[in-house]
Amino acid sequence: MEELQKDIYKIEKVELLPVIMEKKNDYWRLLQICCAFADGKYEVTYSFASGYEIANYRLVVEKDEEVPSISRVYKAAIFYENEMKELFGLNVEHMKVDLQNKLYRIDAEVPFMKEEDK
Amino acid sequence: MAQFLTFTKTVMKNLFSKPATTAYPAVPREYPERTRGHVEINIEECIMCGMCMRSCPPGAIEVKRAENTWTINRFDCVQCGYCVEKCPKKCLSIVPGYQEPGDAKFVDSVVKPVVEKPAEEAPKPAAEVKPAE
Amino acid sequence: MPKRSIVPFGPQHPVLPEPIHLDLVLEDEKVIEAIPSIGYVHRGLESLVTKKDFNEMVYVTERICGICSFMHGMGYSMAVEKIMNVEVPRRAEYLRTIWAEMSRIHSHLLWLGLLADAFGFESLFMQSWRLREKILDMFEISTGGRVIFSVNKIGGVLKDMPADMLNQFVSILNDMEKDLRATTKVFLEDYTVKSRLVGVGILTKEDAIRRGAVGPMMRASGIEVDMRKTGYAAYNDIDFELITSKECDSYGRCCVRIDEIFQSIEIIRQAVKKIPDTELSATVKGFPNGEAFVRLEQPRGEAFYYVRANGSKFLDRMRVRTPTFANLPALTQTLQGCQFADVPLLILTIDPCISCTER
């Protein structure tokens, strides 16, 4: 784990589930999950909060790489993960509820990706 | 008894007081002076830089330098006032008075009067409104 | 085992101002499970950051929602200011605070009206919206818009409120407070209203954390979190108490929101007293480069802004996590095991804003 800036930590894929479990056991709530696509890679940020404290964990994955789902640990993650999958085409594995790209019912495939990145 | 007839006082008050609504459209609505109704231009000061056209979020303004015209589609305009803020000559202003609804979209076009180089007192053509499409 | 049936709820329903669809799995009159689905008003505003420059985006973010429009513009501006290290003048921060609190009053009054409408108390609905109208008039006088204010910019605000205008607003609010007491008393004390709210839609403290609930929904479950206490804008100069409730039910949420209305009036009074006389906006030069997140308390709860910039005039990514998006999992929790007749009311108690949710 490496601190990128205040409250943002970069983690590896193997660290993700241990970190999530630790947060869950400490009664942190899931604040949000955000996906961004920059420099040919996905940046997935998991934010947790407890009271006024906040911690963001950044996972950087290649374009076709799979991301483990956390929706079995945090039920609230279902919407965030489906959103990332539908808007960015991020490959989230084993989601608890897979809405099959029907969360927002958009015609276009992966609308938030730029043409050249698709 | 505190749980019952809690609304009675309000009902009685409403029965014997003036209505909160106005008799629009018989009595026209008076807008405060800051109301963002529509964009107006003082065309004499305009330098046709096109800053408003580039900054407009919905793309409602069109500036044609060659034809000396400043055109706005008032049906697309969202009255955000960003053009007013960006204008380098401060010749745009946003004033009360909303665009009336119509059966088709049209544009308002303002032609910049051509000022002759020598100090000839040429009569300035008035701003005209022409429907397009 | 009793027979189960699925009843579709929405997207068109008298109680819903905006479209959301729920599939309710019923066992007789009891809801076993609720499956929400959204996607009727998705506009993709977040992806506009790659097409509009970062200054223009202030006006776009305002249009995410018609109720907390001011706070969306404010949250986005704060995030960009954080990246660019812009020191916002104090007066601008106070003005933002005042407008934000006015938005909170107007949003909560709107919600109270809709709640009254949901349990069929039409005249109470009218009464709440009548009070809200005064706030909208104040917005029109001060900013020029009733719903979309367009007063935020990166680095400050665009319009000033002179001292006489501020004092006039405070006196309007003082007069309003009496009417508010009379109206909110009905919500808190009336027998019929209480019988619809008390004990309906329990969300325990643990569930609220597990499901990530935010805002009044969370505070009504006894969790003391209010992002205003982190002291953004001018909140660090202002004294206010956190409003929580231990009821965990719809009545608790109603109490929290009603108390917040009076708290907002008090915050405005304090802010008007303390407002300093400085510039309205700082000059902003160059383009943002870096990333920042901002959390702020909207009427519906905590909103999360994430902005990632790359040093050009277009941003890489803007993310808005709106309060309703976070409250949806909590909604499905409260719906489990409730009566079918309470469903419209429970959907309303999270104060749903679907335009916000889908952006």
Side-chain angles (χ1 to χ4, degrees):
Chain A
M1 206 183 295
E2 155 196 10
E3 189 162 8
L4 292 175
Q5 68 180 70
K6 193 176 176 288
D7 294 336
I8 302 184
Y9 308 95
K10 191 181 173 190
I11 52 168
E12 299 299 322
K13 209 153 74 174
V14 286
E15 289 174 293
L16 179 67
L17 286 175
V19 162
I20 304 285
M21 284 313 292
E22 185 195 322
K23 290 291 161 203
K24 181 172 178 167
N25 293 335
D26 288 351
Y27 275 92
W28 284 53
R29 66 196 160 92
L30 179 69
L31 203 61
Q32 63 107 25
I33 307 175
C34 166
C35 180
F37 191 80
D39 312 324
K41 281 179 185 168
Y42 286 113
E43 285 181 359
V44 188
T45 313
Y46 299 83
S47 309
F48 296 90
S50 165
Y52 300 109
E53 278 179 82
I54 181 172
N56 300 284
Y57 297 97
R58 167 85 35 90
L59 190 64
V60 181
V61 290
E62 296 294 332
K63 223 181 140 195
D64 300 318
E65 217 178 315
E66 283 147 350
V67 178
S69 165
I70 65 162
S71 54
R72 277 161 214 279
V73 184
Y74 277 99
K75 270 189 188 167
I78 293 172
F79 282 110
Y80 299 110
E81 288 180 347
N82 276 292
E83 187 187 37
M84 292 192 293
K85 193 179 175 197
E86 186 169 359
L87 299 180
F88 285 94
L90 179 74
N91 193 353
V92 187
E93 275 185 318
H94 308 304
M95 274 190 281
K96 191 164 186 234
V97 180
D98 191 346
L99 296 171
Q100 306 291 342
N101 290 350
K102 290 282 185 295
L103 178 69
Y104 289 134
R105 305 153 206 253
I106 311 168
D107 283 348
E109 247 177 65
V110 289
F112 276 29
M113 295 284 273
K114 285 180 198 156
E115 270 312 311
E116 64 267 23
D117 293 336
K118 272 183 189 167
Chain B
M1 268 313 274
Q3 294 184 20
F4 297 97
L5 304 174
T6 45
F7 203 61
T8 322
K9 214 176 134 191
T10 317
V11 170
M12 296 312 277
K13 205 174 149 195
N14 285 348
L15 264 180
F16 299 104
S17 61
K18 275 203 319 194
T21 48
T22 57
Y24 185 84
V27 182
R29 168 104 160 77
E30 274 179 32
Y31 295 106
E33 63 179 317
R34 287 192 185 182
T35 298
R36 299 193 314 276
H38 67 278
V39 179
E40 258 182 17
I41 185 165
N42 181 1
I43 194 73
E44 274 85 20
E45 277 176 34
C46 178
I47 53 168
M48 295 283 155
C49 64
M51 203 65 179
C52 45
M53 172 170 71
R54 284 190 297 278
S55 64
C56 183
I61 300 175
E62 196 182 358
V63 179
K64 281 190 187 146
R65 214 179 183 132
E67 293 160 39
N68 255 346
T69 56
W70 181 89
T71 311
I72 182 167
N73 186 336
R74 299 204 186 279
F75 291 89
D76 284 354
C77 174
V78 294
Q79 290 105 11
C80 63
Y82 192 41
C83 50
V84 179
E85 197 207 331
K86 272 280 179 179
C87 182
K89 299 296 281 183
K90 299 284 164 237
C91 66
L92 289 172
S93 56
I94 194 153
V95 290
Y98 293 109
Q99 170 66 38
E100 287 190 357
D103 51 6
K105 282 188 179 184
F106 57 83
V107 292
D108 272 3
S109 200
V110 184
V111 183
K112 186 179 174 174
V114 184
V115 185
E116 301 293 325
K117 286 265 163 64
E120 280 177 41
E121 289 296 310
K124 288 174 181 174
E128 56 178 304
V129 176
K130 60 178 177 189
E133 291 159 41
Chain C
M1 194 177 115
K3 209 175 142 203
R4 288 194 175 183
S5 48
I6 296 179
V7 176
F9 185 93
Q12 297 289 332
H13 190 276
V15 82
L16 296 172
E18 289 177 280
I20 180 172
H21 176 85
L22 288 154
D23 281 314
L24 303 169
V25 182
L26 299 186
E27 216 166 68
D28 294 334
E29 288 280 296
K30 198 174 160 202
V31 179
I32 303 298
E33 201 188 349
I35 306 152
S37 57
I38 52 176
Y40 297 93
V41 285
H42 179 77
R43 293 149 292 165
L45 291 179
E46 283 178 359
S47 75
L48 263 183
V49 280
T50 52
K51 296 192 180 76
K52 305 264 172 215
D53 83 57
F54 71 99
N55 282 311
E56 250 175 276
M57 273 310 286
V58 181
Y59 301 103
V60 177
T61 44
E62 273 191 332
R63 284 163 172 79
I64 288 177
C65 171
I67 312 293
C68 24
S69 62
F70 181 79
M71 299 211 194
H72 277 298
M74 176 174 160
Y76 170 75
S77 308
M78 277 162 60
V80 178
E81 282 152 11
K82 200 171 163 187
I83 296 179
M84 299 177 85
N85 285 323
V86 179
E87 181 92 10
V88 180
R90 233 22 216 154
R91 190 175 178 87
E93 294 203 319
Y94 267 87
L95 288 172
R96 279 181 181 178
T97 308
I98 293 170
W99 274 315
E101 287 310 313
M102 275 158 69
S103 300
R104 194 178 313 277
I105 302 174
H106 123 78
S107 172
H108 284 344
L109 280 171
L110 176 127
W111 178 81
L112 284 175
L114 290 177
L115 180 76
D117 195 38
F119 52 63
F121 204 150
E122 284 288 326
S123 42
L124 190 55
F125 154 67
M126 298 281 182
Q127 204 64 32
S128 307
W129 280 40
R130 175 186 184 164
L131 289 168
R132 171 180 170 257
E133 200 62 23
K134 284 188 186 157
I135 308 277
L136 292 185
D137 285 343
M138 278 152 67
F139 276 132
E140 196 177 12
I141 292 169
S142 58
T143 70
R146 290 165 68 81
V147 175
I148 305 285
F149 312 136
S150 300
V151 280
N152 267 311
K153 67 178 267 194
I154 310 286
V157 291
L158 288 168
K159 283 183 180 140
D160 192 14
M161 285 198 263
D164 54 337
M165 189 188 276
L166 285 170
N167 292 331
Q168 181 204 343
F169 285 177
V170 169
S171 69
I172 292 176
L173 287 171
N174 288 343
D175 293 346
M176 224 173 94
E177 207 173 353
K178 219 166 63 187
D179 291 343
L180 265 170
R181 291 265 176 227
T183 308
T184 52
K185 193 174 160 231
V186 184
F187 283 98
L188 297 176
E189 290 174 12
D190 196 89
Y191 177 74
T192 49
V193 175
K194 271 177 107 169
S195 64
R196 287 304 303 273
L197 296 177
V198 176
V200 176
I202 303 280
L203 183 73
T204 57
K205 192 171 175 178
E206 173 160 1
D207 279 337
I209 292 175
R210 287 281 182 244
R211 302 279 174 146
V214 292
M217 189 85 179
M218 174 196 233
R219 288 196 286 279
S221 295
I223 302 167
E224 296 186 355
V225 172
D226 187 328
M227 283 307 128
R228 288 178 286 177
K229 282 281 178 198
T230 55
Y232 64 88
Y235 289 111
N236 46 3
D237 281 358
I238 285 166
D239 283 343
F240 62 98
E241 292 289 312
L242 260 182
I243 291 171
T244 55
S245 162
K246 296 238 169 351
E247 318 260 348
C248 303
D249 58 0
S250 303
Y251 184 70
R253 281 161 226 154
C254 189
C255 293
V256 168
R257 289 199 174 97
I258 286 173
D259 287 345
E260 280 187 7
I261 296 176
F262 295 108
Q263 184 188 47
S264 294
I265 294 178
E266 181 53 35
I267 291 177
I268 294 174
R269 269 191 218 124
Q270 284 188 31
V272 167
K273 258 186 217 143
K274 289 182 182 167
I275 191 164
D277 209 5
T278 63
E279 295 282 300
L280 284 181
S281 64
T283 44
V284 178
K285 279 193 185 128
F287 298 124
N289 193 359
E291 58 183 328
F293 56 85
V294 157
R295 293 193 287 168
L296 77 164
E297 189 76 19
Q298 285 188 344
R300 294 183 168 80
E302 167 195 357
F304 183 99
Y305 282 81
Y306 171 74
V307 171
R308 190 184 194 284
N310 53 7
S312 76
K313 70 174 183 173
F314 299 112
L315 304 172
D316 267 348
R317 176 89 167 106
M318 178 197 63
R319 159 125 178 106
V320 190
R321 200 294 319 270
T322 53
T324 311
F325 202 97
N327 273 333
L328 273 183
L331 170 68
T332 54
Q333 171 72 31
T334 54
L335 283 176
Q336 273 172 25
C338 78
Q339 290 295 306
F340 183 51
D342 287 331
V343 172
L345 192 87
L346 285 179
I347 293 176
L348 264 181
T349 55
I350 71 160
D351 200 356
C353 178
I354 312 301
S355 306
C356 270
T357 312
E358 301 182 17
R359 306 170 303 279

